[in-house]
Amino acid sequence: MTYALQWLLSLIFIIQMYVAMLVVGVLYFPYALIKRDGALAACHAYCAWVLFSLRILTGMKTEVRGTPPTHPVLIAAKHQSFLDILMIFNAVPRGRFIMKKELTYAPILGWFGLRIGCIPVDRGKRGAAITKMKADVKSGLLHPGQLIIYSQGTRVAPGVKAPYKAGTAALYLQMGQDCVPVATNVGVLWPKRGIMRKRGTAVVEFLPTIEPGLKGAAFMERLEREVETASDALMAEAGFKFPT
């Protein structure tokens, strides 16, 4: 398949992806307004459609490895593009995210995000943001599920190094729950920016559970080592050439 044709199919996919967000949002709005489960159902339906249309239009397959948790747990994930958000959420029954505050103003996405229990964080105010995040998480424990945080705080392109943020350790210590690390290679095929969606297999991998009880520094060292090692292996599997 030529580059031009793959680019065109990628563009068609992106356009219909946003049209689908509008359609699903409108169809599920009454149910979501009445019950939180309605918002969760809407988000799962949207994720399923995007993953299906991605494969049909662009030839990109998606694969979930490991065992997605179904009990209340902290999920600490690698973040490379919008695709890992969809894949992780679609793999768990009651997911909700620590998300940047700006997303709450996005049409449809922002309202449904808040409705499923996502917790907005102002990334520009680090100390105050962590304090507020911990308070919001504490109040949100009334709605048990899988709390998903991106430990580097933003999308990080393949091959780029970025520090892991202290907020993940703060939640791990506060919640006293299992933490499930998640590695990914999705950025190799669905980049942080741009139109092109490449053929291949995008993977998110749920790694072995980190049980509660570690000190904050020991937890962060283990989390970063395991996620980065597994993500590097997945990216190499997808054909990514690391800088030398």
Side-chain angles (χ1 to χ4, degrees):
M1 183 177 292
T2 66
Y3 180 92
L5 179 56
Q6 186 69 26
W7 189 92
L8 178 60
L9 290 171
S10 298
L11 179 61
I12 293 170
F13 162 75
I14 291 170
I15 293 171
Q16 67 84 36
M17 181 181 76
Y18 286 106
V19 172
M21 183 181 293
L22 175 61
V23 172
V24 171
V26 170
L27 290 177
Y28 277 86
F29 179 74
Y31 184 22
L33 192 61
I34 296 170
K35 295 184 66 176
R36 180 170 176 259
D37 283 354
L40 286 166
C43 293
H44 278 118
Y46 177 70
C47 290
W49 171 256
V50 172
L51 299 182
F52 169 76
S53 60
L54 178 67
R55 177 171 56 85
I56 296 300
L57 287 171
T58 73
M60 189 192 305
K61 301 176 183 177
T62 57
E63 179 183 347
V64 175
R65 298 180 185 174
T67 304
T70 58
H71 60 291
V73 69
L74 176 65
I75 294 175
K78 182 81 171 173
H79 188 22
Q80 293 184 336
S81 75
F82 186 52
L83 180 56
D84 54 64
I85 295 176
L86 302 174
M87 292 178 66
I88 294 171
F89 182 86
N90 199 49
V92 298
R94 303 185 70 82
R96 57 197 181 105
F97 291 87
I98 303 293
M99 68 179 189
K100 58 184 180 181
K101 186 177 179 181
E102 303 93 284
L103 288 177
T104 61
Y105 304 112
I108 303 174
L109 180 65
W111 186 84
F112 274 90
L114 293 174
R115 190 72 179 108
I116 66 174
C118 290
I119 297 168
V121 171
D122 187 345
R123 295 186 302 180
K125 302 177 180 179
R126 181 179 174 185
I130 291 177
T131 299
K132 185 177 185 304
M133 178 179 67
K134 290 172 65 178
D136 289 345
V137 167
K138 184 177 181 180
S139 64
L141 290 178
L142 297 173
H143 303 289
Q146 297 76 44
L147 180 63
I148 305 158
I149 185 170
Y150 287 112
S151 302
Q152 291 169 295
T154 189
R155 293 171 297 172
V156 178
V160 175
K161 298 298 182 183
Y164 278 53
K165 307 293 186 179
T168 306
L171 292 184
Y172 168 78
L173 295 171
Q174 174 188 349
M175 295 172 69
Q177 294 178 346
D178 290 343
C179 175
V180 177
V182 177
T184 190
N185 68 0
V186 302
V188 177
L189 304 173
W190 179 321
K192 181 177 177 179
R193 296 184 179 87
I195 300 296
M196 178 64 82
R197 304 294 183 257
K198 301 176 183 177
R199 302 176 74 86
T201 301
V203 179
V204 295
E205 181 177 3
F206 290 83
L207 303 174
T209 297
I210 301 176
E211 296 180 350
L214 294 178
K215 300 290 186 181
F219 164 73
M220 290 301 294
E221 187 279 330
R222 178 176 169 184
L223 175 68
E224 181 172 355
R225 170 170 41 84
E226 294 184 0
V227 170
E228 291 300 307
T229 300
S231 293
D232 285 351
L234 291 174
M235 288 187 285
E237 180 183 311
F240 180 72
K241 304 298 182 184
F242 289 88
T244 56

